[in-house]
Amino acid sequence: MSQTGSQGGNQPVRTRPAGSARALSESYDTALLDLDGVVYAGGKAIAHAVDSLETARSGGMRLAYVTNNALRTPDTVAGHLTELGIPTDPSDVITSAQAVARLVSEQVPAGARVLVVGGEGLRVALRERGLEPVESADDDPAAVVQGYGGPELAWGRFAEACYAIARGVPWFASNTDLTIPSGRGIAPGNGAAVEVVRIATGAEPQVAGKPLPPMHRETILRTGAERALVVGDRLDTDIEGAFNGGVDSLLVLTGVTDGAQLLAAPPEHRPTYVDADLRGMLGGQPEVVSGEGGFVCGGWTASVKGEALVLEGEGVALDGLRALCAVAWTAAGDGRCGLDGGKGLARLGL
Ligand SMILES: [Mg+2]
């Protein structure tokens, strides 16, 4: 995969979740929130999301919603959030379609034609940058751009992309998420569609979406954030995107990541903070301290015995997880922890 822009690889290796005496909603001026698994799931608001976001917003924090989904326009996303009880302006929504449209606009002449393999969100974003969406390889496009097109995307669209790419037209993708959750199961995402074109052409696209820098740059340009907190549920998109962008992150456990995945996370997937849900934005975060018997957080002490992570004590489940993270990440250094944390996680119900 071609990686666009620079990576934030010179950050120190994080070996434990950070503490914060102040509420995160006061320490950071802008929350860059992922949607699925953070704000809603299956179209419905996640528990505590509506109230937590309202409290953070009324306290002065700017809320922006950052999605890799290039199909839906900011208007549509904002309408959905507002319906859920989260009043949102379209300008508060940043999509991978917008990020890729900017990337394309920087590499083609003003007003150029762009062959679209995708949906309305992509067309709207291209027009916003003064580019002209076209449908055929015979329309003399200056670029091909591919974004999630939904179930209605016709197979012939891939053929148009291949014809143009074979002539040397540069190829861009909004994002490369292989799957997309639907109410009926896991469906192929834009990354799977990109693979179709890649296999047929042997070419490589430039990619904009999380975790790559063009998406983070788009969110900073559009929000004007000076001290941003990325809030997400996925380690390899949200948290890695924050790492690459050099900003702090909060992982919430309302989506796809479980405790075992968090303990095994390599440095670029380790969040600054971890909490159960969006209520974590509203308070401080407890310190994890290293003591004689291991790492201590709240009433819990975590340590290594043999090949296992051991958890002793009692208290708030999230504190136990934070202590386990400190042991696992410290043991792993700049790699992945292979120690078994299963028993400790089971005690925490995580
Ligand atoms: Mg998500």
Side-chain angles (χ1 to χ4, degrees):
M1 189 73 39
S2 83
Q3 304 240 319
T4 305
S6 63
Q7 304 284 301
N10 52 3
Q11 292 184 52
V13 172
R14 172 168 299 288
T15 55
R16 70 180 87 167
S20 173
R22 292 173 71 200
L24 301 185
S25 58
E26 293 169 5
S27 296
Y28 297 90
D29 66 0
T30 306
L32 305 176
L33 294 132
D34 179 50
L35 289 171
D36 221 313
V38 174
V39 177
Y40 54 64
K44 292 196 179 122
I46 284 174
H48 309 297
V50 173
D51 290 351
S52 300
L53 292 170
E54 179 51 34
T55 303
R57 195 170 67 113
S58 60
M61 191 182 215
R62 168 103 198 254
L63 304 180
Y65 301 92
V66 183
T67 177
N68 261 1
N69 187 322
L71 178 61
R72 300 199 300 166
T73 63
D75 276 31
T76 306
V77 174
H80 180 201
L81 289 170
T82 303
E83 246 173 53
L84 293 177
I86 304 161
T88 305
D89 189 83
S91 65
D92 299 326
V93 178
I94 298 104
T95 72
S96 66
Q98 294 172 323
V100 79
R102 189 185 299 268
L103 200 58
V104 172
S105 73
E106 290 166 346
Q107 298 181 36
V108 301
R113 295 174 166 190
V114 177
L115 175 60
V116 174
V117 182
E120 189 56 19
L122 209 44
R123 290 188 186 84
V124 167
L126 289 165
R127 286 193 203 101
E128 189 193 29
R129 296 249 81 85
L131 300 168
E132 184 189 345
V134 296
E135 302 294 315
S136 166
D138 295 338
D139 290 331
D140 195 23
V144 175
V145 61
Q146 190 168 2
Y148 182 62
E152 308 308 320
L153 187 73
W155 186 256
R157 310 300 306 146
F158 299 137
E160 297 300 325
C162 291
Y163 302 147
I165 292 164
R167 288 179 208 150
V169 175
W171 176 29
F172 298 81
S174 62
N175 66 302
T176 51
D177 300 36
L178 290 173
T179 59
I180 190 160
S182 91
R184 295 168 57 208
I186 299 297
N190 193 51
V194 164
E195 288 303 312
V196 170
V197 175
R198 186 211 303 276
I199 289 164
T201 60
E204 289 289 332
Q206 294 183 54
V207 183
K210 292 185 263 188
L212 296 173
M215 187 72 194
H216 185 70
R217 180 180 60 143
E218 192 70 22
T219 65
I220 299 299
L221 286 170
R222 285 182 183 262
T223 61
E226 290 180 359
R227 203 164 147 68
L229 179 69
V230 166
V231 184
D233 71 312
R234 265 194 97 97
L235 301 180
D236 62 358
T237 52
D238 306 318
I239 305 306
E240 188 177 335
F243 177 88
N244 289 338
V247 302
D248 288 349
S249 60
L250 167 66
L251 178 80
V252 289
L253 299 179
T254 44
V256 298
T257 300
D258 63 22
Q261 289 168 320
L262 183 60
L263 297 184
E268 68 273 20
H269 289 176
R270 294 175 193 162
T272 314
Y273 311 105
V274 55
D275 220 315
D277 54 53
L278 288 179
R279 287 176 295 179
M281 293 166 60
L282 305 178
Q285 291 280 315
E287 296 281 350
V288 183
V289 295
S290 55
E292 270 181 30
F295 285 95
V296 178
C297 186
W300 299 98
T301 301
S303 58
V304 180
K305 289 211 174 84
E307 291 298 302
L309 303 173
V310 176
L311 187 66
E312 292 162 304
E314 58 185 309
V316 178
L318 259 291
D319 288 346
L321 180 62
R322 293 177 181 114
L324 283 171
C325 283
V327 177
W329 297 352
T330 299
D334 59 5
R336 282 177 183 273
C337 180
L339 300 168
D340 181 10
K343 275 191 185 159
L345 292 171
R347 271 200 74 188
L348 300 172
L350 292 169

